[in-house]
């Protein structure tokens, strides 16, 4: 079994899906390469991306949740926004990894011979706070944009030369905005309106293997309005049924799940 599916949605851009269905993105420049997220990390992410890396590899995490950060232990260091540093280190620590591994096994994604030690050997201390928000890869510039919403330290990545936006978990086919660390709906809406104005043509998302036209993100952001929110319906999300979750569709193919108790 190949635990990774490597796609190339744009020339020189690699969007890679791991065995759990989560995607991460590799952006090689002339001198350095950005790895945007690391997936769940059940298998060796470093080995997967090695054939496509040019120069020094920079690992930057869109936010601190385990399904985007737990592959960090295959690398010497990785970086996350300071506001997500504590969350990230908790999510990639051994206690968290033990819980994650149990859930993954229950989903039937691993064989009985899976070498669990490689996943359980987390290194939270190698996750460090991101300090520079512009990265020159050589011929490509990456702008890391603070995008608090899904988590306080979520960031987006904008690559002008490719006219490409990487949204992190702030926009997916199903966007979740109900975790305790998630910001209120009003703050999220304001942040997304800022992303709307970027001069991008394409979007890549971590829970979607396909390349999306920017016009769909624009439609989604325009749909973040009082009329859409008023039409939202209750939708319990197991195993998170303790939250007052409501669902709406700001764009026909984009479901937003938010905590109605955290509107503003």
């Amino acid at each position: 079994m190949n635990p990774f599916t490597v796609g190339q949605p744009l020339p020189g851009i690699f969007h890679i899906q791991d065995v759990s269905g989560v995607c991460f993105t590799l952006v090689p420049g002339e001198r350095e390469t950005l790895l945007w997220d690391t997936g769940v990390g059940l298998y060796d992410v470093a080995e997967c991306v090695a054939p496509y890396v040019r120069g020094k590899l920079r690992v930057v995490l869109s936010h601190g949740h385990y399904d985007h950060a737990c592959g960090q232990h295959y690398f010497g260091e990785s970086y996350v926004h300071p506001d997500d540093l504590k969350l990230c280190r908790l999510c990639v620590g051994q206690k968290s990894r033990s819980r994650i591994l149990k859930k993954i096994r229950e989903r039937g994604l691993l064989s009985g011979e899976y070498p669990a030690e490689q996943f359980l050997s987390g290194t939270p201390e190698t996750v460090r706070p991101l300090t520079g928000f512009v990265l020159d890869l050589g011929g490509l510039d990456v702008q890391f944009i603070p995008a608090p919403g899904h988590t306080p330290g979520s960031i987006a990545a904008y690559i002008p030369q490719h006219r490409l936006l990487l949204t992190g978990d702030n926009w997916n086919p199903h966007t979740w905005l109900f975790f305790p660390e998630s910001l209120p709906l009003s703050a999220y809406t304001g942040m997304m309106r800022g992303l709307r104005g970027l001069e991008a043509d394409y979007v890549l998302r971590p829970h979607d293997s396909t390349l999306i036209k920017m016009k769909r993100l624009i439609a989604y952001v325009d749909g973040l309005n009082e009329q859409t929110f008023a039409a939202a319906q209750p939708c319990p999300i197991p195993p998170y049924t303790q939250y007052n979750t409501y669902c709406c569709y700001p764009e026909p193919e984009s479901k937003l799940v938010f905590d109605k108790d955290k509107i503003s």
Side-chain angles (χ1 to χ4, degrees), residues 5-17 24-26 28 52 54 162 204 209-211:
T5 302
V6 180
Q8 194 170 357
L10 291 171
I13 301 290
F14 300 92
H15 197 52
I16 303 166
Q17 188 174 61
F24 48 92
T25 308
L26 194 75
Y52 316 103
R54 188 179 298 134
H162 284 290
L204 286 172
S209 61
T210 61
L211 184 68

Side-chain angles (χ1 to χ4, degrees), residues 16-45:
I16 303 166
Q17 188 174 61
D18 71 15
V19 70
S20 73
V22 180
C23 298
F24 48 92
T25 308
L26 194 75
V27 184
E30 295 172 0
R31 295 190 309 271
E32 298 184 354
T33 298
L34 167 68
L35 177 60
W36 174 254
D37 284 345
T38 62
V40 177
L42 294 166
Y43 296 92
D44 193 334
V45 182

Side-chain angles (χ1 to χ4, degrees), residues 92 94 170 205 244:
V92 305
Q94 191 169 33
N170 275 318
R205 309 182 289 183
N244 188 19

Side-chain angles (χ1 to χ4, degrees), residues 3-4 18-20 38-45 70-71 73-74 97 100-101 104 109-110 114-115 118-119:
F4 300 102
D18 71 15
V19 70
S20 73
T38 62
V40 177
L42 294 166
Y43 296 92
D44 193 334
V45 182
C70 267
H73 69 298
Y74 296 105
R97 287 176 182 270
I100 295 160
L101 192 59
I104 294 291
L109 297 179
L110 301 174
Y114 174 74
Q118 69 174 358
F119 179 72

